[in-house]
Amino acid sequence: MPQKYYVQPTIRSFGQSYKGYRKMVQNHEIVDYLPNSSFRIWYNTTGAKFDTHWHTAVEIEFLLKGGCSVTLDQQEYSLSPGDILITPSGVVHKMEQQDGCELFVFLFELDDIIDLKGFTSLMPIMSKPIYLSVQNSLRDKAAALLNQCIHAYFNPSSFMELENYARILSLFALIGRAHFDSVKPTANTPVKHEFHLTVIQSAMDYIDMHYMDDITLDDIADKVGFSKFHFSRLFKQYTNTTFHQFLSMKRIDMADRLMQSSAASITEIAMQVGFTSIPTFNRVYRSIRNCTPSEYKALYQGAGAR
């Protein structure tokens, strides 16, 4: 049986987790964070049902007891006690809890950590749901980090939010390392495998710094000293996405941030993040976010920034 790390918070602190409300504009939820915070944990035992919605926050479901089903982009995950499910930012989802279930829901924004060096390499991984069942080798370590977050959150002290973000970063790093370590080596030695990983991470760092420029696959391949065919194959193998898809995800993420914080027009934002035509920006944006940039901006600004 997996080791149980959960530390029981006080009943008084549990009661605090019920306070708040859902602020919705159509199916866009503006997360009800506490003042001057971008991190929240809900404790739920109500057997609630949450219809289709999305939010800018990353969401983690950590089920302790009973059953819960989550549908992400038409794929259903049936959680059992001990399971962990990470829902990416911006993904449309719905959740239905069984009566008597005990569930912790983590909600947090990435705005303040997405620019950290190395975080870009996690984008392809974090753009898709991550399901850690009790059989998964990462589950116990992930549960330990989440339980530390729970204990700190419901028994707050100085630097609680900073410490919890540090734990979330540790969780992401754990998942990222496991992903890259699981890639079947194209090279016949561990040293060359590690070299390939370093090359891919270097390429992603370069994209992180130059996404707004007119960069091409040839530019990146030349930068790391590979042919574009060899680099393209390695990039796909290590990231499960293509160079062009990765670049588009980075540009759309940055466009989202500008639409949340800037008064600039959609056209200006598109140009700032590296698109050279509005039709292309709209098409790529819809393919990633399932709505147009104008719809996203209207929903976000209509509901009010947090």
Side-chain angles (χ1 to χ4, degrees):
M1 292 292 292
Q3 184 176 353
K4 189 174 182 180
Y5 294 99
Y6 175 64
V7 179
Q8 179 76 26
T10 65
I11 297 300
R12 179 182 61 82
S13 294
F14 261 13
Q16 293 173 355
S17 71
Y18 286 107
K19 295 180 180 179
Y21 58 93
R22 299 188 74 210
K23 186 176 182 180
M24 303 290 295
V25 178
Q26 297 181 29
N27 66 344
H28 177 202
E29 179 178 358
I30 305 299
V31 178
D32 177 36
Y33 294 110
L34 297 174
N36 302 313
S37 175
S38 59
F39 192 102
R40 185 135 205 180
I41 302 176
W42 295 99
Y43 170 66
N44 199 321
T45 60
T46 60
K49 180 178 180 180
F50 299 91
D51 292 331
T52 300
H53 65 286
W54 65 276
H55 38 64
T56 59
V58 176
E59 181 172 325
I60 300 177
E61 286 85 21
F62 183 16
L63 184 64
L64 300 184
K65 180 181 177 182
C68 174
S69 65
V70 182
T71 302
L72 302 169
D73 286 338
Q74 301 183 349
Q75 180 174 353
E76 183 174 339
Y77 296 83
S78 295
L79 275 62
S80 299
D83 289 355
I84 296 167
L85 179 65
I86 303 177
T87 301
S89 167
V91 172
V92 175
H93 60 287
K94 63 181 180 179
M95 177 170 60
E96 185 168 358
Q97 304 165 16
Q98 296 177 2
D99 291 338
C101 83
E102 292 186 22
L103 175 73
F104 282 102
V105 178
F106 296 65
L107 293 159
F108 51 90
E109 304 292 336
L110 296 180
D111 294 359
D112 297 328
I113 62 177
I114 198 171
D115 292 328
L116 291 174
K117 182 175 175 59
F119 195 87
T120 295
S121 64
L122 297 174
M123 282 176 50
I125 306 167
M126 300 304 301
S127 66
K128 300 177 178 63
I130 298 172
Y131 177 45
L132 303 178
S133 71
V134 292
Q135 288 80 31
N136 190 292
S137 61
L138 296 182
R139 184 268 169 198
D140 279 6
K141 290 181 179 179
L145 290 166
L146 294 181
N147 281 319
Q148 290 168 17
C149 287
I150 292 167
H151 184 70
Y153 188 87
F154 289 101
N155 298 278
S157 60
S158 300
F159 306 111
M160 176 273 292
E161 187 152 328
L162 180 63
E163 291 173 342
N164 274 352
Y165 264 110
R167 293 177 180 115
I168 292 298
L169 280 173
S170 294
L171 174 61
F172 289 168
L174 179 73
I175 293 169
R177 171 51 66 180
H179 167 77
F180 287 117
D181 285 348
S182 71
V183 174
K184 184 178 180 180
T186 55
N188 55 9
T189 67
V191 172
K192 186 162 283 190
H193 174 59
E194 192 65 27
F195 170 67
H196 286 167
L197 176 57
T198 300
V199 167
I200 296 303
Q201 290 179 324
S202 175
M204 289 190 286
D205 287 342
Y206 184 83
I207 294 170
D208 202 26
M209 296 176 62
H210 298 278
Y211 66 89
M212 71 294 293
D213 300 330
D214 183 22
I215 55 176
T216 66
L217 176 61
D218 294 276
D219 294 332
I220 298 292
D222 184 66
K223 185 74 178 177
V224 298
F226 283 6
S227 74
K228 71 175 183 179
F229 302 105
H230 186 36
F231 171 76
S232 181
R233 182 168 58 86
L234 283 176
F235 195 90
K236 173 71 172 179
Q237 183 177 22
Y238 278 86
T239 67
N240 289 331
T241 190
T242 67
F243 159 75
H244 293 292
Q245 290 169 336
F246 182 86
L247 177 60
S248 293
M249 283 192 292
K250 178 64 181 181
R251 287 173 169 170
I252 295 306
D253 280 347
M254 299 310 296
D256 283 349
R257 295 174 67 182
L258 288 173
M259 286 190 286
Q260 293 170 22
S261 61
S262 170
S265 69
I266 297 296
T267 299
E268 291 170 329
I269 289 172
M271 300 304 168
Q272 286 180 48
V273 300
F275 288 94
T276 57
S277 80
I278 294 302
T280 300
F281 178 51
N282 286 334
R283 175 178 54 78
V284 173
Y285 194 96
R286 180 179 283 280
S287 70
I288 293 176
R289 292 288 186 257
N290 296 314
C291 67
T292 68
S294 297
E295 289 170 343
Y296 177 88
K297 189 174 184 180
L299 285 171
Y300 192 90
Q301 294 185 350
R306 59 180 173 82

